[in-house]
Amino acid sequence: MKKATRKALLSALDRLLQGEPTNIELKKKVKQGKLKVNNNTVEKEAGLSVGTLRNHPDIKQIIKAKSLKAKVDSSESVTSEIELLQLENKKLKSERTQLSKLKAKHLADSRKSEEALAEQAARHISMVKNLMEMIPECEREKAMDKVVNARADNVIKGTFNKQ
C-alpha cells in the first residue's frame, strides 16, 4: 500500500510540474495561472486524503525542492533558489512592516474615537442632568416615567449625582 501511495504522489507531482493535472479544481487553477505546487496540491492531484504526506517525509522534501526549482525556472528576475528565497523574504518583511503601520494607525484611530465617544457621553449626561434640574423636583419622577414608557430603548444609563 505504501509503495502504491508513493507512486501516486510522485506521478501527481510530475503532472503538476508539467502543468497538466487531472483534478478538475487544479485544472481551473492552471487556466487562471494560479497553480502552486505544494503538499496540498500534490495530495489533491493524487486523489489522496489531506495529511497523507506526513507518512512520506522524503516525498515532502522532493516536492519542496522541485517546486522551488520550478519557481526559479519560471522567474525572470532570479537565477538561483537562494535569490528567490531572499526576494520572498524581503517581500514578506515589507508586507509585515506595512501591516504593523496599518495596525498602529487603526489602534490610534480607535483610541481617538473612544475618547470622543466618552466626551460626547459625558456632555450628554451633563445636559440631561441640567434639564432634569430645570423640572421641579416633585414632577421629575413623572417626567422620567413618561420618557421611559414612551420608548424604553431611549434611556442611557449614567451616574446622576443628587446635589
Side-chain angles (χ1 to χ4, degrees):
M1 183 69 174
K2 208 170 190 181
K3 288 182 182 179
T5 303
R6 179 179 173 78
K7 184 179 178 185
L9 289 167
L10 290 173
S11 62
L13 175 61
D14 288 338
R15 287 192 304 274
L16 288 173
L17 290 172
Q18 293 169 8
E20 300 170 357
T22 56
N23 181 290
I24 295 170
E25 185 180 327
L26 297 176
K27 282 182 181 181
K28 289 178 185 176
K29 287 190 178 190
V30 168
K31 288 179 183 176
Q32 296 170 348
K34 295 183 178 181
L35 179 68
K36 294 181 181 178
V37 179
N38 55 36
N39 294 346
N40 187 31
T41 56
V42 171
E43 289 170 340
K44 273 185 188 177
E45 177 61 21
L48 301 170
S49 63
V50 174
T52 300
L53 280 168
R54 72 175 166 263
N55 298 321
H56 299 275
D58 56 326
I59 296 179
K60 281 176 143 180
Q61 290 297 323
I62 294 170
I63 292 169
K64 190 175 183 180
K66 286 191 176 187
S67 68
L68 196 57
K69 187 176 183 321
K71 284 182 186 178
V72 171
D73 292 343
S74 66
S75 175
E76 298 166 3
S77 59
V78 294
T79 57
S80 74
E81 295 168 358
I82 293 173
E83 286 179 29
L84 177 70
L85 292 173
Q86 287 173 337
L87 187 66
E88 285 181 6
N89 192 20
K90 186 177 180 181
K91 180 181 169 189
L92 289 173
K93 284 182 179 179
S94 173
E95 287 176 8
R96 183 177 64 189
T97 303
Q98 289 174 348
L99 289 174
S100 294
K101 288 178 183 177
L102 191 60
K103 179 182 174 184
K105 179 186 174 289
H106 287 308
L107 183 61
D109 289 348
S110 173
R111 288 191 176 141
K112 190 189 233 180
S113 297
E114 189 177 338
E115 290 169 5
L117 182 62
E119 186 178 326
Q120 185 179 12
R123 283 185 187 152
H124 181 74
I125 289 171
S126 176
M127 185 183 352
V128 170
K129 179 184 171 198
N130 290 337
L131 288 170
M132 289 303 290
E133 288 174 354
M134 293 173 134
I135 300 173
E137 198 169 326
C138 61
E139 294 179 23
R140 287 183 194 165
E141 193 169 331
K142 286 181 194 175
M144 282 304 293
D145 285 343
K146 189 175 179 181
V147 170
V148 170
N149 290 333
R151 190 165 168 201
D153 65 340
N154 198 19
V155 179
I156 297 174
K157 294 181 180 178
T159 54
F160 300 101
N161 298 332
K162 289 186 180 182
Q163 295 174 349

